[in-house]
Amino acid sequence: MKQSSATITLLLIVFAIYWSFHSLMPDYETNIANEKIAFSTDRALKHIKRIAQKPHAVGFPAHAEVRNYIVTELESMGLETSLQEGYTAGDWGNLSKAINIVARVKGSDSGKALMLLSHYDSNPHSSLGASDASSGVATILEGIRAYLEKNNTPKNDIIILISDAEELGLNGASLFVNSHPWAKDVGLVLNFEARGSGGPSYMLIETNRGNAALVKEFTKAKTAFPVANSLAYSIYKMLPNDTDLTVFRTDRDIDGFNFAFIDDHYDYHTAKDTYERLDRNTLMHQGSYLMPLLLHFSQADLSTLKSLNDVVYFNVPFFKLISYPFEWIWFMFGFASLCFVVLLIHGLRKNTLTITGVTKGFIPMLLALVVNGVVGYFSWSVLQWLYPGYKDILHGFTYNGHTYIIAFTLFAIGVCFYMYHRFKKITTPNLLVAPIFLWLLICALVGAYLPGASFFIIPVFALLASFLVVVNQKMPNPYLLVFLVLPALFIYAPLIQMFPIGLGLKMMVATTVLTTLTFVLLLPVFGFYKRKMRLANWSIFLFLVCIAYAHFNAGFSKENPKPTSLLYVLDTDTNKAQWATYEKSLSDWTTQYIDDTKKTPKKLAKRTISSKYASNFTYVADAPLKKIKQMQIEKTRDTTVGDHRFLELCITPKRAVNRLDIFSPTAITAAEVNSVKLSDFYLKNRKRNKLITHYISNNDYTDLQLTIPKDAVLELTLYETSNNLLHNDKFTVPARPEHDIPMPFVLNDAVLVTKTIRFE
């Protein structure tokens, strides 16, 4: 290929990659002046600015303030709003008193209702919750306001549920689904969520059956920027990332759509989940989903959304959402395989292909996969070794994480160009056989085990078309070949970035391997390049530039603060106190209390409240004894009937507390906590001997009714926690410096009192 053609085609490929990202979301422009019947991102932002001023988890003072604000806003639209209140424990053993906000727009028909859903509580203990999920609440408030402004009468009722205690175990959703009389009316749910503070919002389907009808109706709504694929939901179903919508599916068999953004993951559940850091394009994207779907599903027949059939679906620029039935998967694979065999025979007969050339063509591809796979797999471990502070970013996505993704993508590209330079004597037609074979093998495997990813066959058809061209033409049109590689770029470029963003930098291997697999799909173009070594050198040079940039931005600052943790733990059984932390790389702030005398916890390590990432205390140090008011434990019943012993205990806090964790090694056959029955399944499958975690509102008591074998000894270990270490008048812990924030996902800034009791 001529140098000028190579340069132009490379620029076209770079532009196509750029467009594959740019086309995913709308571009935010201030639109406060939008007519009142239109969704305004700026008006939605006003809600977020108001809601996300303070942490507003269940039991926190700002929790009630946020609830009152949302109620006032709904009532200002003329909606009659009610509160649903009650205790629930869900399937996680997390008890709380949820207070849901519920409103309803009456439709002209008596069919199933459309529900708009998000939650208003933030994650304990320090998150401001601008994204998760003030953005969802604001999207619904602004969307329903714009809808009502049009004076349209919906065919279906529209139920608005702003749920509570989602962060504690989907408690508010469980309360509504299992206790509210309107739950039986719901036919479809649109749920707005977040797991970061930016990036495109992914549409994820929740259904117990097939998705065919849901995808069909979603497509009819004509959303402007659909970002969805059946692979993402297949992966989502494998992960422990349930949302409120999950309760509707599992407990009531109600289908729905999740809309959640996951980029800028480093802000998730932190004090940096703020109004200022929320991506405006992302919020606009949420609005671009809600309005057409609200208009469509408020008029559609929601009783026809059940389907036994599944479809493969994916989004690409220009065509938006493409779907086809699962029944086509093996037909498409078979047809592609047949085309491959025919073209292979044709090429061998023309002497364009040779057995030796085809065989050697596997070598650079396999070498590139091995090198890039190994580097990607060990990259996160090496980065944590070089920068120990990364270990305290528990979700594994660093502030400079995007730079690392670009860096290792460039590294993988450089390795690919180098390998194919080393085998430059192999002609392009011979080089193409290996990637076609490999991708057909991948398509066979996903068709059998992960059918949601079967749209992978689409770039294979484009590759087969390129194979046909290069087998028959010695100097094919390079721009035609660029056109034929576009499906690979449009489909895989966003996925290369998505995996480490969604799953953490430990999944960098997905980026390096998928980059390699995408590179070989581009061989119809790259195979004709004369100066592959120059491109390899440039790629590695840019990789080093990115690594250097990441290095100079690896430290912590006011904008990118370090997660830190500190707890005061009083063991009332031994009357000893300790400072404790979850930090692996201690900050200067923490070393004020956990200094050179620190030690690795032993007994305390086994008595750590579990966290999302199974973190345990890393270091402890002796602490002075403080007079902390002890909880009151009162046994109100202890009787034996037949083979069972029945005990009732009332545990009342004597200081302001936020949660009470109760653990027991005793076999418990039945349990009720504040009149909420714990399921038999939960009791038989308790982990770490956990019985219940009560997230306390208004310093409420905890009433336990337990049934154990008649000869058993009941042992309970109690962890009573207040998240007020920095504001407790018994302590003088200074505020964190600007370059530190409370570590999310673990108990933090807490005064923790432990006590073990036995009932013989």
Side-chain angles (χ1 to χ4, degrees):
M1 186 182 292
K2 293 180 180 180
Q3 183 60 31
S4 59
S5 297
T7 302
I8 295 171
T9 55
L10 184 61
L11 290 174
L12 288 172
I13 287 171
V14 171
F15 178 76
I17 294 171
Y18 162 79
W19 191 254
S20 71
F21 289 97
H22 180 76
S23 62
L24 295 177
M25 288 194 298
D27 289 321
Y28 166 75
E29 293 181 0
T30 182
N31 54 13
I32 192 66
N34 272 15
E35 55 182 333
K36 291 186 177 181
I37 62 172
F39 183 96
S40 166
T41 304
D42 288 324
R43 284 193 286 262
L45 281 167
K46 287 186 174 181
H47 294 305
I48 295 171
K49 189 173 185 178
R50 175 62 180 81
I51 294 172
Q53 292 181 2
K54 308 172 187 174
H56 46 280
V58 171
F60 284 48
H63 184 246
E65 297 173 15
V66 169
R67 180 172 62 249
N68 293 336
Y69 172 80
I70 296 169
V71 170
T72 300
E73 289 299 308
L74 289 170
E75 290 179 342
S76 71
M77 302 175 200
L79 296 175
E80 183 177 344
T81 305
S82 61
L83 299 178
Q84 180 197 18
E85 181 175 344
Y87 278 105
T88 57
D91 293 328
W92 300 357
N94 291 350
L95 179 80
S96 72
K97 181 184 287 184
I99 305 177
N100 292 329
I101 305 168
V102 187
R104 190 164 186 158
V105 178
K106 192 64 180 172
S108 61
D109 207 343
S110 58
K112 289 292 185 179
L114 171 67
M115 169 169 281
L116 307 183
L117 172 64
S118 192
H119 68 91
Y120 72 92
D121 63 308
S122 64
N123 186 263
H125 37 79
S126 56
S127 175
L128 296 179
S131 299
D132 183 19
S134 300
S135 64
V137 174
T139 298
I140 292 173
L141 289 176
E142 171 58 13
I144 202 68
R145 182 211 59 77
Y147 180 85
L148 294 174
E149 196 70 34
K150 295 181 180 180
N151 293 319
N152 290 337
T153 300
K155 176 182 176 182
N156 305 317
D157 287 7
I158 302 170
I159 297 174
I160 301 160
L161 171 60
I162 310 299
S163 68
D164 193 11
E166 188 270 353
E167 299 289 3
L168 308 183
L170 319 179
N171 294 31
S174 179
L175 180 66
F176 181 90
V177 167
N178 295 293
S179 302
H180 201 287
W182 289 358
K184 67 181 186 302
D185 300 335
V186 179
L188 180 72
V189 181
L190 306 181
N191 183 42
F192 292 87
E193 260 288 1
R195 199 165 169 265
S197 60
S201 176
Y202 292 89
M203 182 275 279
L204 299 166
I205 293 174
E206 288 261 11
T207 179
N208 289 326
R209 295 177 176 81
N211 61 30
L214 290 165
V215 173
K216 179 181 178 182
E217 292 301 319
F218 180 86
T219 305
K220 282 184 180 179
K222 297 181 179 179
T223 57
F225 299 92
V227 180
N229 63 68
S230 41
L231 167 63
Y233 182 59
S234 297
I235 295 173
Y236 169 80
K237 289 191 292 185
M238 300 175 186
L239 300 176
N241 294 321
D242 291 342
T243 69
D244 277 343
L245 182 52
T246 306
V247 181
F248 285 81
R249 175 179 59 81
T250 57
D251 292 8
R252 282 270 184 176
D253 192 25
I254 297 171
D255 295 334
F257 297 94
N258 273 315
F259 302 97
F261 48 97
I262 63 173
D263 208 341
D264 298 343
H265 196 181
Y266 39 72
D267 290 332
Y268 181 48
H269 283 180
T270 74
K272 285 295 184 178
D273 184 9
T274 63
Y275 163 83
E276 291 79 13
R277 287 166 78 105
L278 173 63
D279 190 327
R280 272 51 176 165
N281 293 338
T282 298
L283 184 61
M284 194 170 182
H285 194 194
Q286 293 286 61
S288 76
Y289 278 126
L290 175 59
M291 296 314 297
L293 293 173
L294 179 54
L295 290 170
H296 178 75
F297 286 116
S298 63
Q299 302 296 330
D301 184 356
L302 302 184
S303 65
T304 63
L305 297 180
K306 299 292 184 186
S307 173
L308 297 177
N309 301 317
D310 275 305
V311 297
V312 177
Y313 60 94
F314 60 99
N315 64 283
V316 289
F318 308 111
F319 296 96
K320 297 186 179 179
L321 198 68
I322 297 173
S323 63
Y324 57 87
F326 267 29
E327 289 79 8
W328 290 15
I329 292 173
W330 291 111
F331 169 78
M332 295 172 71
F333 173 77
F335 182 66
S337 300
L338 177 62
C339 290
F340 175 51
V341 172
V342 170
L343 290 173
L344 190 61
I345 295 171
H346 174 65
L348 290 169
R349 286 179 175 176
K350 282 194 66 175
N351 293 322
T352 308
L353 302 176
T354 66
I355 298 297
T356 302
V358 167
T359 303
K360 288 183 177 179
F362 278 83
I363 299 174
M365 181 184 73
L366 295 176
L367 287 175
L369 280 170
V370 170
V371 172
N372 288 333
V374 169
V375 170
Y377 183 81
F378 289 103
S379 60
W380 180 232
S381 298
V382 171
L383 289 173
Q384 287 183 306
W385 174 71
L386 290 171
Y387 308 103
Y390 287 175
K391 295 178 182 179
D392 292 325
I393 302 176
L394 298 183
H395 44 56
F397 192 76
T398 60
Y399 296 109
N400 52 4
H402 295 97
T403 306
Y404 284 127
I405 294 173
I406 296 170
F408 284 99
T409 300
L410 288 165
F411 177 86
I413 292 171
V415 169
C416 289
F417 273 123
Y418 173 76
M419 293 300 178
Y420 280 95
H421 164 75
R422 297 288 296 178
F423 292 84
K424 60 185 176 182
K425 292 183 179 180
I426 305 173
T427 63
T428 300
N430 284 296
L431 289 175
L432 290 184
V433 174
I436 296 173
F437 177 83
L438 177 61
W439 270 105
L440 284 173
L441 178 62
I442 292 171
C443 289
L445 291 173
V446 299
Y449 300 106
L450 195 64
S454 293
F455 58 88
F456 285 3
I457 197 70
I458 303 300
V460 175
F461 279 115
L463 183 60
L464 286 166
S466 298
F467 189 39
L468 173 63
V469 172
V470 300
V471 163
N472 288 289
Q473 299 179 24
K474 288 186 177 180
M475 294 298 295
N477 186 315
Y479 306 109
L480 171 62
L481 296 178
V482 169
F483 175 77
L484 290 174
V485 302
L486 288 179
L489 293 172
F490 287 159
I491 289 174
Y492 294 123
L495 291 181
I496 287 170
Q497 183 192 51
M498 183 192 75
F499 282 107
I501 284 176
L503 303 176
L505 295 181
K506 64 183 179 181
M507 285 302 296
M508 191 65 77
V509 63
T511 290
T512 55
V513 169
L514 189 53
T515 298
T516 308
L517 292 172
T518 304
F519 183 95
V520 297
L521 289 170
L522 306 184
L523 280 176
V525 179
F526 293 156
F528 289 100
Y529 283 9
K530 303 295 185 184
R531 299 180 178 179
K532 298 185 186 70
M533 192 62 200
R534 179 177 293 183
L535 290 170
N537 290 335
W538 270 108
S539 297
I540 297 301
F541 171 73
L542 292 174
F543 159 74
L544 294 173
V545 170
C546 288
I547 289 295
Y549 181 82
H551 170 74
F552 288 113
N553 289 276
F556 296 106
S557 64
K558 178 180 178 181
E559 288 302 311
N560 300 320
K562 182 188 188 300
T564 58
S565 74
L566 183 66
L567 299 89
Y568 177 84
V569 183
L570 174 62
D571 186 337
T572 60
D573 300 330
T574 61
N575 199 34
K576 292 183 179 179
Q578 291 179 307
W579 298 109
T581 184
Y582 289 93
E583 291 177 54
K584 294 182 179 179
S585 176
L586 295 180
S587 64
D588 292 340
W589 180 77
T590 309
T591 53
Q592 296 175 98
Y593 298 91
I594 302 178
D595 53 19
D596 293 337
T597 63
K598 68 180 183 292
K599 51 193 173 184
T600 302
K602 294 181 181 179
K603 180 180 178 182
L604 193 59
K606 298 178 181 179
R607 303 176 63 180
T608 304
I609 297 172
S610 61
S611 74
K612 179 174 181 178
Y613 296 99
S615 303
N616 287 319
F617 289 139
T618 52
Y619 299 108
V620 296
D622 293 337
L625 281 173
K626 302 285 185 179
K627 286 189 176 181
I628 310 294
K629 290 184 178 179
Q630 305 291 305
M631 65 194 93
Q632 177 181 312
I633 304 168
E634 182 181 6
K635 182 172 69 172
T636 57
R637 182 189 181 194
D638 189 348
T639 59
T640 301
V641 179
D643 294 330
H644 300 288
R645 182 183 178 189
F646 301 90
L647 294 101
E648 184 168 353
L649 308 172
C650 185
I651 304 168
T652 306
K654 292 301 179 182
R655 62 189 180 101
V657 298
N658 296 99
R659 66 187 271 182
L660 175 68
D661 294 80
I662 304 176
F663 296 81
S664 177
T666 307
I668 297 173
T669 56
E672 287 189 14
V673 188
N674 288 28
S675 300
V676 175
K677 188 179 185 300
L678 303 185
S679 70
D680 293 337
F681 175 83
Y682 172 75
L683 291 174
K684 292 177 182 177
N685 295 275
R686 293 187 292 133
K687 296 180 180 179
R688 297 169 64 106
N689 292 328
K690 174 183 171 180
L691 177 60
I692 196 73
T693 295
H694 181 190
Y695 289 91
I696 295 172
S697 302
N698 301 319
N699 238 33
D700 207 356
Y701 63 87
T702 304
D703 183 71
L704 286 176
Q705 298 181 43
L706 306 175
T707 304
I708 62 175
K710 67 174 182 179
D711 297 325
V713 175
L714 177 64
E715 180 179 312
L716 300 176
T717 301
L718 312 177
Y719 295 66
E720 187 188 56
T721 306
S722 59
N723 290 111
N724 65 347
L725 177 62
L726 273 65
H727 308 287
N728 193 309
D729 58 11
K730 295 184 182 299
F731 299 88
T732 57
V733 178
R736 286 179 172 84
E738 291 183 330
H739 55 266
D740 289 347
I741 55 170
M743 182 181 289
F745 311 114
V746 296
L747 188 63
N748 210 343
D749 293 1
V751 178
L752 172 61
V753 176
T754 70
K755 185 176 185 63
T756 300
I757 54 176
R758 292 170 58 88
F759 297 93
E760 301 287 346

